[in-house]
Amino acid sequence: FPDKGQSYLSCNMDFGTAERTLSTLKPAALYVTSPDYLGNRVPIDRLSEICHKQGALLLVDNAHGAYLRFLKNPSHPMDLGADMCCDSAHKTLPVLTGGAYLHISPGLSPFFSENAKQALALFGSTSPSYLILQSLDAANRLMDQISYREDIQSFANDVETLRERLCTGGFSFTGDEPLKLTLCTKSYGYRGEDFAMLLRQRRIECEFADPDFVVLMLTPQIGKKGLEKLEQTLHAIPRLPPLKDLPPPFICPQQVCSLRDALLSPFEEIPAKESLNRILANATVGCPPAVPIAVCGERINESCLRAFSYYNIGCCTVLKE
């Protein structure tokens, strides 16, 4: 249900289109990602009302927002009406990589909680990591402490103050996630990857960079001194004339065959620039942000080619002709 602000990494949702589509298709559930990789958040409360009005469940990938539950005004998807939600705890909480939570609304039928473990077993390992499980237990005890919640809110306030000072200093941002700073680097004269390299040379590692953005994920463990170092480092990078080139517009490719047929058919790898009108066999994504330019089974169009070039994707896998 994208609005005019759509891109490969983010889209502004048009709620009128969402309600009309749900009314027409009558799906069992709607699945959204919020926050997205750039820190933009969907108004989950409004979307929840639309979904429930149309008889659909709202499922949310909240990978980057586990901490939202502990702000002064909680804005976790489960606080805003989501029916089920997954959190990648390791992204924003002190948990080992791979640690995650699945939340199920108590208002749902017992069917979901009773069958969740069996459903997860279809994808999970029979040899779980007890180190990851212990880290989740340790994080649970930490999050139960009032002081931890106070630390989260206090640090979020510090980040917002820093954002305001940086804006005054000429930096531009996108997204409204409290503990993420997503720099729009072209307004400062740099492609995102080049700006990230300058930060790396100054011993600051970003979460993600592409031609347009640098994403910085922050936690209370960084502290005020860490924010001070970040601010000093950013101001030490000389400002250049703005870059005017824009990312390619998103034009949805045509679906030719099912995901299953595309994945199980004979394929070949070819240069991306030679793939026009071929059918994508395997998703061509970088991780992060793991957002596909085309989905398996779709016909590669001119828009895809421009995106392959813009995001430096040299090869792709297509069905054999």
Side-chain angles (χ1 to χ4, degrees):
F1 320 116
D3 197 355
K4 295 179 181 179
Q6 62 182 336
S7 71
Y8 283 103
L9 296 182
S10 184
C11 71
N12 299 315
M13 183 168 290
D14 179 68
F15 291 100
T17 302
E19 184 161 13
R20 288 191 297 272
T21 304
L22 290 172
S23 177
T24 301
L25 297 180
K26 301 295 183 184
L30 174 64
Y31 181 78
V32 299
T33 298
S34 179
D36 64 28
Y37 218 90
L38 301 182
N40 299 289
R41 290 184 287 174
V42 174
I44 295 296
D45 49 354
R46 186 176 175 189
L47 189 58
S48 172
E49 291 178 2
I50 292 173
C51 286
H52 295 156
K53 178 181 177 182
Q54 298 300 328
L57 300 179
L58 177 58
L59 316 181
V60 182
D61 179 347
N62 183 53
H64 286 193
Y67 71 93
L68 295 172
R69 179 66 180 88
F70 307 107
L71 298 175
K72 183 178 181 181
N73 296 312
S75 56
H76 189 281
M78 299 305 292
D79 295 311
L80 302 178
D83 295 293
M84 285 193 283
C85 173
C86 56
D87 289 341
S88 294
H90 65 93
K91 287 185 169 67
T92 59
L93 300 175
V95 172
L96 293 177
T97 297
Y101 301 104
L102 173 64
H103 305 286
I104 301 174
S105 170
L108 283 185
S109 162
F111 170 86
F112 293 94
S113 57
E114 291 171 358
N115 290 277
K117 186 174 182 179
Q118 181 179 352
L120 290 171
L122 293 173
F123 306 97
S125 169
T126 56
S127 302
S129 167
Y130 287 95
L131 292 176
I132 295 175
L133 294 174
Q134 283 184 318
S135 74
L136 286 166
D137 287 341
N140 291 341
R141 290 191 293 270
L142 178 64
M143 289 183 288
D144 195 45
Q145 298 176 11
I146 295 177
S147 60
Y148 180 77
R149 300 173 183 229
E150 292 174 344
D151 289 344
I152 287 278
Q153 184 60 60
S154 176
F155 187 72
N157 295 340
D158 292 339
V159 172
E160 183 56 31
T161 300
L162 172 59
R163 190 195 309 267
E164 293 171 357
R165 289 201 301 267
L166 291 172
C167 286
T168 302
F171 287 95
S172 298
F173 297 90
T174 189
D176 61 351
E177 187 189 327
L179 297 189
K180 182 176 285 178
L181 292 178
T182 301
L183 289 154
C184 305
T185 58
K186 284 184 176 176
S187 64
Y188 209 72
Y190 297 88
R191 287 173 63 88
E193 303 101 329
D194 297 331
F195 199 89
M197 182 60 68
L198 293 174
L199 291 176
R200 181 177 293 121
Q201 292 169 356
R202 294 161 172 79
R203 301 182 66 80
I204 292 179
E205 190 68 28
C206 71
E207 162 69 15
F208 165 73
D210 75 356
D212 301 281
F213 305 104
V214 164
V215 176
L216 299 167
M217 291 180 65
L218 308 171
T219 74
Q221 284 69 32
I222 291 173
K224 289 182 180 292
K225 289 186 177 180
L227 293 181
E228 290 172 1
K229 177 185 177 181
L230 174 60
E231 183 174 14
Q232 293 167 2
T233 301
L234 290 173
H235 282 307
I237 296 175
R239 184 169 187 170
L240 301 177
L243 301 179
K244 301 296 185 180
D245 61 314
L246 298 174
F250 176 81
I251 301 175
C252 189
Q254 175 193 6
Q255 185 75 35
V256 178
C257 65
S258 68
L259 288 168
R260 182 181 187 278
D261 288 342
L263 288 168
L264 297 180
S265 298
F267 61 87
E268 61 182 335
E269 187 175 272
I270 63 173
K273 63 183 180 181
E274 300 174 8
S275 65
L276 182 63
N277 292 325
R278 299 293 296 272
I279 300 171
L280 191 72
N282 292 320
T284 300
V285 301
C287 187
V291 176
I293 288 172
V295 175
C296 308
E298 290 183 339
R299 190 180 300 281
I300 297 170
N301 57 23
E302 292 280 2
S303 175
C304 295
L305 258 61
R306 288 191 292 269
F308 288 155
S309 175
Y310 188 81
Y311 292 106
N312 298 314
I313 295 174
C315 297
C316 63
T317 304
V318 298
L319 300 188
K320 282 188 175 181
E321 295 184 330

